[in-house]
Amino acid sequence: VAPLVARRRGVVTAVAAAGGKLREVGDSDVAQLLMAGAPVVLHCGAAWSQRSQAVAARLAEWAHSGPEAAGVTCVTADLTAVPDLVARRAIKGMPAVLFMRAGKVETRADGADVEALERILKVASNYGSVANKASPALNESWSAPETLALADDLWRQGVAPETIATFYEHALRGDAAFAFRARLGLLRCALEACEVAAAAGRPPAEDAVERAVGTLAELQERHEDELYGVDVREDSMQVAQCLARAGLLIDAWSGDAEGEEAEVLDLYAKKYEEAAIDVALQWYRTAATNDMDGLVAAYCVPHRMIPDRAGSRSSWSIYAQDQLACEIPDALGPAAPRAMLRRLIAALGPMHDSAMRARVELEVLLDNKPFVPFHTRVVYIRRGGPPKRGWGTGKRSGYSKRYWVTYGPGTMRPNSKKMGSPHCDKND
């Protein structure tokens, strides 16, 4: 039996059964193909439909046409054999032809004929032209969205970032509406090139670091609406993490930082995120303890947004005006370690274990009370959520002001402070 997907020279190739017919698949096979990440052309039809068979025959012919079909998996499925796919993809016409990549449908035709199939194959053939990872061909006629999609596929294939950068540069010269995505891709290429050198134990090349610095600065200068606007995009969180990570790596490679800041950046660049968080927390504890007056003053003055990194504030923000502008060196209290902690948490993401631990520890970081076990004596539990009420818990709410520092999966932390401490009151 011919396998669904065969790998030759590291490239996924289209496979058909003997006799030039497409391989038939079921729901589980389709799920495996989508998980592999390779582009897939899926024909959904029925054996009794002449139009369905004509479309399947043309797809099988294209699958064996040569280089233009390389890297694209072409399969067929009887509609009765893929009920999950029919429901999930809302297939309403027969035959249906879907071109899918990275688990998503890029283009489709319901109730397709051969002419509709040709339009889909024209899109699919673009992926065949870049299937040779040694020298993927760039077509100057490709539109910006087509080029960006192909660049994403090159990342999946493991193509060198220098090669992928040419695709993003081509997209940047095209439609201005896709300039933000193109520059984001160029930043990713620049960072990847530097990280390859760092992983090999040598410092990144100076021109590579300068390219990353320039790309990040250009992103922040030209795309303030995308970065600081009110519109929320589908991948806004991933973009924010990418930019926060880029800022940390660039600052680490540039070598301009000193003291604790340089130590934190170096640990993060070497992928010791846990150690970087620990050093940043200790830095904040020391700075706050040595400048308690500044810490109190920082909480008392009117709110003023202080950028965590130079250039990370939009020019049209009210806090960018001369009367309200404030940078880290001019801020009260432990502004530098506080900004570093925010940058680390932003780069790791809110659900990262180290970020969640740091946020919990910050709650009691400056508490000098002795650490002694304390738990409520009688607690009434309700189905789901915190305890309903209890004795010896302060407000009789199941807490001891506060019984949990945070509440949620993986973040429950019993209050172990001594009775009579700021975490308790006279009712304890």
Side-chain angles (χ1 to χ4, degrees):
V1 178
L4 278 174
V5 180
R7 294 190 176 272
R8 184 177 64 225
R9 297 189 302 275
V11 177
V12 181
T13 58
V15 176
K21 293 183 179 180
L22 295 171
R23 180 74 176 173
E24 292 191 10
V25 296
D27 275 327
S28 60
D29 301 319
V30 173
Q32 292 177 8
L33 287 171
L34 295 181
M35 287 178 61
V40 177
V41 178
L42 173 63
H43 164 264
C44 299
W48 51 265
S49 170
Q50 291 185 353
R51 185 168 65 170
S52 178
Q53 293 306 304
V55 171
R58 172 62 185 121
L59 181 56
E61 179 186 356
W62 182 84
H64 294 81
S65 61
E68 66 176 4
V72 182
T73 304
C74 301
V75 291
T76 185
D78 191 291
L79 285 174
T80 59
V82 286
D84 290 345
L85 180 71
V86 171
R88 187 177 297 110
R89 303 298 180 184
I91 296 176
K92 299 177 181 178
M94 185 189 70
V97 180
L98 287 74
F99 177 61
M100 299 178 287
R101 186 182 65 86
K104 297 182 179 180
V105 177
E106 286 204 1
T107 184
R108 62 186 293 169
D110 292 277
D113 52 18
V114 175
E115 184 178 350
L117 174 65
E118 293 296 341
R119 290 195 296 268
I120 292 177
L121 295 183
K122 183 179 179 181
V123 176
S125 64
N126 293 338
Y127 290 88
S129 63
V130 299
N132 181 8
K133 59 185 291 186
S135 57
L138 174 63
N139 190 328
E140 293 293 334
S141 66
W142 286 336
S143 66
E146 288 176 333
T147 308
L148 291 174
L150 293 169
D152 288 342
D153 196 61
L154 292 178
W155 282 114
R156 180 190 60 80
Q157 296 180 38
V159 176
E162 294 81 5
T163 302
I164 303 177
T166 61
F167 283 70
Y168 288 120
E169 289 167 355
H170 173 70
L172 188 59
R173 293 192 296 268
D175 192 343
F178 297 90
F180 174 68
R181 294 292 171 181
R183 288 193 173 94
L184 202 61
L186 287 172
L187 177 62
R188 182 182 177 187
C189 291
L191 292 178
E192 185 71 18
C194 293
E195 286 189 286
V196 168
R202 61 180 187 275
E206 187 174 339
D207 60 335
V209 176
E210 290 179 357
R211 190 160 52 249
V213 172
T215 305
L216 180 58
E218 199 169 355
L219 258 173
Q220 293 172 333
E221 178 184 350
R222 292 176 177 268
H223 299 284
E224 291 186 337
D225 288 342
E226 290 91 339
L227 295 176
Y228 309 112
V230 296
D231 293 339
V232 178
R233 296 168 183 256
E234 180 182 358
D235 60 345
S236 293
M237 183 175 292
Q238 290 83 351
V239 170
Q241 279 186 244
C242 174
L243 294 177
R245 177 173 172 272
L248 289 169
L249 292 175
I250 288 172
D251 290 349
W253 294 327
S254 63
D256 297 331
E258 299 177 350
E260 292 91 341
E261 181 183 6
E263 184 180 359
V264 173
L265 291 171
D266 183 61
L267 288 170
Y268 180 82
K270 292 178 179 177
K271 302 187 184 303
Y272 299 130
E273 292 96 349
E274 192 84 13
I277 286 285
D278 289 336
V279 173
L281 285 170
Q282 183 58 42
W283 179 21
Y284 180 79
R285 187 204 302 266
T286 303
T289 303
N290 293 339
D291 186 18
M292 195 60 69
D293 292 339
L295 180 65
V296 173
Y299 280 100
C300 294
V301 298
H303 173 71
R304 182 173 297 181
M305 192 191 81
I306 303 170
D308 295 333
R309 184 179 183 272
S312 61
R313 177 177 54 198
S314 64
S315 61
W316 39 260
S317 169
I318 188 174
Y319 295 105
Q321 307 305 314
D322 292 339
Q323 295 84 349
L324 296 176
C326 183
E327 302 298 332
I328 290 178
D330 306 321
L332 297 171
R338 184 169 57 228
M340 181 57 69
L341 280 168
R342 281 199 297 259
R343 293 176 65 186
L344 287 171
I345 292 173
L348 295 174
M351 302 307 294
H352 192 280
D353 289 343
S354 297
M356 295 174 69
R357 178 180 66 83
R359 294 172 66 184
V360 171
E361 291 191 14
L362 279 169
E363 292 280 350
V364 293
L365 189 65
L366 303 181
D367 196 332
N368 295 321
K369 294 288 183 179
F371 189 82
V372 294
F374 168 70
H375 302 281
T376 55
R377 294 189 287 273
V378 180
V379 176
Y380 292 88
I381 304 295
R382 60 184 174 187
R383 187 187 299 273
K388 189 173 182 180
R389 64 187 181 87
W391 297 333
T393 60
K395 300 298 182 182
R396 298 178 178 86
S397 62
Y399 300 89
S400 181
K401 197 196 289 184
R402 301 154 59 190
Y403 187 71
W404 283 297
V405 174
T406 55
Y407 183 81
T411 63
M412 191 168 63
R413 180 188 175 108
N415 180 10
S416 52
K417 296 303 178 181
K418 185 178 181 181
M419 293 178 69
S421 73
H423 298 269
C424 305
D425 67 9
K426 61 183 179 63
N427 291 322
D428 283 320

